[in-house]
Amino acid sequence: MIKAVKKGPILEITVPKKWAGITLNHLFQDDWHAPKKLVHEWRMSRTAGIKGRTEGWEAPLSPGDIIQLPLFYSEQPPDFAEFMDIDVLYEDDFVLVLNKPAGMDTHPSQPGDKNSLQNAAAFYLMMKGEPILPFHIHRLDKDTTGAILFAKDRLSAAILDQQLEKREVKRTYLALVHGLMKKKQGTIKEKIGSDRHHGSRRRVSASGKDAVTHYEVVKLFPEKNMTLVKCRLDTGRTHQIRVHLSFIGHPLAGDVLYGGRPILPRQALHAWNLRFPHPLTEEWIEVHAPVMDGIIPEEQN
């Protein structure tokens, strides 16, 4: 675990043994892949460096050195924040995980839009004395509930984006589907592309993008002819779980777009578990999001 501490607008990181001999340039560009604009700001302001040392960014690091970075400052547009009740699942100085309710977008689709989780997160942080624009690392459909990860600063956002691309951010969903699934577990590897006959729908398509969904039966409900399924994603295509489960003949309950019957007010899909390496400390964080509206039964242990 790497020691990373917020001190006002400054981030202080204690250099671990594994960084011995590398340079700040290497750390910023090759390890973190920090945004070029952010690195340029640090370079031009001459405020990023090693505490108590005058050497430049090409000097080798030593274990115990303290890296100081000007990282925390306001990035929030004045009209962005909006009060809404939110369920905070995890928070520290760098990341925030919220439990998104149904009927709410993850983020505004265009400037000025309100009623999104990002609006609510900005207001929550502003009321805590952190007037910043939180960065959403992934998305959920408007009527899908559950855990969404936000970063509080540009460096953490960049590192988490890379982790998501490298499939280090692990997401597990609960889905209630029509029919009794015969296989206890399986993997769906079907490419997903746009449906040219329907602007908002996706479909399995040979010309689409690779998509991999792993599923496991949690519980059968014979009296309702339904199955509770746990799904893990290797990819993050739009509507991936909804498309894949419909493709194998088990559409989500309430998901009329993909063949589900309208027996529920929304599609029965919930982002139940989120596991990821902390962008700065590298400690693994695991968060469970309880189902808030009772649409989906909680996992049976």
Side-chain angles (χ1 to χ4, degrees):
M1 179 175 170
I2 297 173
K3 184 178 179 180
V5 179
K6 177 183 178 182
K7 292 190 175 181
I10 303 298
L11 168 65
E12 289 193 350
I13 299 179
T14 303
V15 174
K17 290 182 179 179
K18 68 177 183 176
W19 291 356
I22 70 170
T23 67
L24 285 179
N25 258 332
H26 184 280
L27 180 65
F28 297 161
Q29 298 176 15
D30 299 323
D31 287 2
W32 287 346
H33 300 282
K36 292 181 180 179
K37 183 178 178 181
L38 181 60
V39 174
H40 178 71
E41 290 174 7
W42 290 344
R43 189 183 297 277
M44 296 304 293
S45 66
R46 298 184 179 181
T47 51
I50 305 300
K51 186 177 182 179
R53 290 175 52 177
T54 58
E55 297 97 327
W57 288 9
E58 294 301 337
L61 298 173
S62 299
D65 283 344
I66 305 296
I67 300 172
Q68 294 184 313
L69 304 173
L71 188 60
F72 304 101
Y73 49 90
S74 175
E75 297 183 34
Q76 178 189 313
D79 63 344
F80 189 86
E82 180 184 16
F83 171 76
M84 285 175 276
D85 288 326
I86 56 174
D87 184 14
V88 178
L89 301 175
Y90 176 84
E91 182 182 7
D92 60 28
D93 287 334
F94 311 98
V95 297
L96 175 68
V97 182
L98 300 180
N99 195 1
K100 189 183 85 65
M104 178 183 289
D105 290 321
T106 299
H107 59 87
S109 58
Q110 57 187 5
D113 282 357
K114 295 294 183 74
N115 193 38
S116 82
L117 194 63
Q118 193 178 30
N119 294 113
F123 187 93
Y124 166 76
L125 293 173
M126 184 174 66
M127 291 297 98
K128 292 180 71 223
E130 300 179 61
I132 56 177
L133 171 63
F135 302 84
H136 61 88
I137 303 305
H138 56 103
R139 302 177 179 86
L140 291 176
D141 296 337
K142 185 173 184 177
D143 286 330
T144 297
T145 57
I148 292 187
L149 175 60
F150 290 89
K152 292 186 179 183
D153 62 85
R154 288 186 287 173
L155 178 59
S156 295
I159 294 173
L160 287 168
D161 281 341
Q162 296 164 51
Q163 292 174 352
L164 185 69
E165 188 173 342
K166 292 186 291 186
R167 302 177 184 176
E168 293 175 350
V169 177
K170 310 295 184 181
R171 293 166 290 167
T172 304
Y173 294 75
L174 291 177
L176 189 64
V177 303
H178 292 295
L180 301 178
M181 299 186 77
K182 296 180 180 179
K183 291 181 63 176
K184 292 291 183 68
Q185 58 186 19
T187 298
I188 307 168
K189 296 182 179 179
E190 298 289 345
K191 293 183 177 182
I192 292 177
S194 298
D195 186 336
R196 60 189 178 90
H197 300 294
H198 195 298
S200 62
R201 189 165 55 194
R202 302 294 187 271
R203 65 184 181 91
V204 167
S205 169
S207 61
K209 296 181 179 179
D210 290 338
V212 180
T213 302
H214 307 281
Y215 68 87
E216 174 188 345
V217 170
V218 176
K219 187 176 182 180
L220 299 173
F221 298 94
E223 71 284 359
K224 298 180 180 180
N225 192 32
M226 301 175 80
T227 304
L228 180 64
V229 185
K230 186 189 297 182
C231 298
R232 292 185 296 105
L233 302 181
D234 279 355
T235 52
R237 307 304 175 203
T238 300
H239 298 178
Q240 179 174 320
I241 292 175
R242 299 166 66 186
V243 173
H244 272 173
L245 291 179
S246 178
F247 180 76
I248 64 171
H250 294 281
L252 272 64
D255 191 3
V256 294
L257 185 63
Y258 292 103
R261 296 194 299 277
I263 60 174
L264 298 173
R266 66 175 179 90
Q267 71 260 11
L269 184 62
H270 177 72
W272 173 73
N273 179 273
L274 179 66
R275 187 169 181 266
F276 61 97
H278 192 281
L280 294 173
T281 70
E282 299 183 358
E283 177 186 14
W284 277 91
I285 307 295
E286 184 167 9
V287 181
H288 292 274
V291 179
M292 294 184 289
D293 58 7
I295 291 296
I296 303 172
E298 293 283 4
E299 185 193 13
Q300 305 294 310
N301 293 321

